Amino acid sequence: MPASHELHALRQKQIDRLARLPHQLARLTATVDELESTTPFLVGEWSIAQNLHHLADSHMNNFIRCKLILTESEPTLPAYDRDGWVALADSRTAPISATVELLQGLHTRWVSFWKTVAEDEWQRSGLHPETGRITLADILRNSAAHGWNHLAMIRRTLFAQYSGLPTSPEDLLARIDREWDRLQKVLPDKAAMDTSFDGSWSPKIQIAHLTLWETYLLRHLISGEPAHSVLELAPNDDPSEQLDAVNAADAARAQNLPIEAVSDKAHHVHAAVRSAILSLKWPEWVRRDKNGELPVSRLITTTYEHYLEHWQSLL
Ligand code: NI
């Protein structure tokens, strides 16, 4: 059983996550067009719009459950059919902007609710027909994780729109441009570039990190300079076993750089990547190498897939 101040800090972190979610969703929707939001790119999964509508459905229900728990004795908590709700015609056609606004209001109220819960009320509970006895503390923990998990699902859905390999340098570049643009749209103001949230790297460090791997693409994958030399390792180090150390050293370096330097370098290197991609001898990149791998996949994992990977923690 953690000490009470640890519990308090943990709950505060969960409340912060809930407070942040509508802002993350608002920034997310600014990067997603109509087609992207309504196409279920992952087979058998919801579209991005359905993920958003479901977040509102789920959090409205949880807000009501919280109030029932505090005003009744061990109430039976209403369940709802999440797939049914998301499949309603209303959920299929509703604009995602309205749902984000709904969540903004709801979470503002919910966060002030959480801040008023007294110490002896956290273990008050109700009976959920599917999951059994559930306390206020459980609802807070589950809801904070729920938002983050759906952001991750949305990220995977965005990934899935690129299920086939690019068919030409122009096609690869179009994907890179699309995801680079998405990344630029979620970057915070300059003042917040040094602030990290929830234990992840600050935006500045993440930008430096993306630049490191674009540099690797240019100098190693395309120009053939040895990987250890690009990554500043000893000649006998196996780069694939040193990735954590390489990333940590780069993060420590970036920490001490002004944001302007990191940002200038990012744009400079990225411009070089764009022109290098357009002059690729394409057949060499889509022919299997001696390990049975397609070299083009390494261009993907160091560009648009990598931007998408970091996009969620930049939101
Ligand atoms: Ni990375």
Side-chain angles (χ1 to χ4, degrees):
M1 190 82 180
S4 76
H5 62 273
E6 284 173 26
L7 254 183
H8 184 81
L10 187 64
R11 283 182 196 136
Q12 190 53 52
K13 203 172 154 185
Q14 292 163 345
I15 294 170
D16 288 346
R17 277 193 168 196
L18 284 182
R20 188 176 166 88
L21 183 68
H23 303 289
Q24 293 176 300
L25 297 176
R27 291 164 75 184
L28 153 76
T29 54
T31 78
V32 173
D33 63 27
E34 174 81 19
L35 189 70
E36 271 180 330
S37 82
T38 54
T39 311
F41 294 110
L42 276 173
V43 177
E45 247 303 330
W46 291 335
S47 66
I48 289 171
Q50 285 174 307
N51 272 279
L52 290 171
H53 300 322
H54 162 73
L55 279 169
D57 292 345
S58 163
H59 293 191
M60 285 188 293
N61 274 284
N62 273 341
F63 186 50
I64 290 169
R65 289 172 185 145
C66 287
K67 301 213 158 198
L68 290 171
I69 286 175
L70 274 197
T71 53
E72 296 175 21
S73 169
E74 287 284 321
T76 297
L77 303 173
Y80 76 103
D81 170 6
R82 59 180 85 76
D83 291 298
W85 282 37
V86 154
L88 286 174
D90 146 71
S91 290
R92 276 184 279 119
T93 54
I96 52 179
S97 57
T99 295
V100 172
E101 283 170 30
L102 177 65
L103 281 161
Q104 274 163 345
L106 179 67
H107 278 230
T108 302
R109 287 291 313 277
W110 208 10
V111 165
S112 31
F113 168 87
W114 288 122
K115 288 183 174 162
T116 62
V117 173
E119 206 45 50
D120 61 350
E121 290 174 328
W122 286 103
Q123 292 309 314
R124 286 189 65 146
S125 61
L127 199 66
H128 189 281
E130 290 159 9
T131 46
R133 186 173 172 274
I134 186 165
T135 63
L136 274 188
D138 293 333
I139 294 183
L140 173 60
R141 191 188 57 243
N142 294 345
S143 302
H146 184 242
W148 184 254
N149 291 342
H150 277 278
L151 282 176
M153 183 54 80
I154 289 169
R155 180 170 58 81
R156 285 195 290 276
T157 306
L158 285 169
F159 259 132
Q161 70 179 302
Y162 305 115
S163 57
L165 289 175
T167 54
S168 64
E170 291 73 21
D171 187 21
L172 172 58
L173 192 60
R175 296 179 182 197
I176 289 175
D177 284 350
R178 189 179 183 89
E179 294 310 325
W180 181 262
D181 183 50
R182 194 192 305 282
L183 190 76
Q184 303 307 312
K185 281 183 182 157
V186 298
L187 285 180
D189 297 342
K190 193 179 148 204
M193 286 291 284
D194 259 318
T195 312
S196 70
F197 185 81
D198 228 359
S200 65
W201 283 338
S202 71
K204 180 181 82 178
I205 291 179
Q206 298 195 54
I207 294 302
H209 166 80
L210 293 174
T211 302
L212 169 69
W213 291 100
E214 288 204 331
T215 304
Y216 175 87
L217 176 156
L218 280 175
R219 286 170 51 189
H220 172 62
L221 297 179
I222 294 187
S223 303
E225 185 181 335
H228 69 78
S229 145
V230 179
L231 301 175
E232 297 177 13
L233 294 168
N236 52 354
D237 275 336
D238 176 354
S240 65
E241 286 178 5
Q242 301 291 328
L243 295 186
D244 288 346
V246 165
N247 286 330
D250 186 65
R253 218 171 10 241
Q255 182 66 54
N256 299 316
L257 292 173
I259 177 60
E260 290 80 5
V262 171
S263 169
D264 284 353
K265 186 171 180 196
H267 284 97
H268 181 74
V269 170
H270 186 70
V273 165
R274 291 190 80 253
S275 38
I277 298 273
L278 281 179
S279 31
L280 291 177
K281 294 199 186 73
W282 193 249
E284 294 171 11
W285 292 90
V286 289
R287 195 182 304 134
R288 285 193 193 283
D289 64 18
K290 58 185 190 309
N291 301 319
E293 288 164 21
L294 290 171
V296 69
S297 64
R298 305 176 77 192
L299 302 178
I300 294 170
T301 52
T302 48
T303 56
Y304 68 88
E305 272 199 9
H306 198 201
Y307 317 152
L308 262 173
E309 215 178 279
H310 284 267
W311 161 89
Q312 184 180 356
S313 57
L314 285 172
L315 276 176

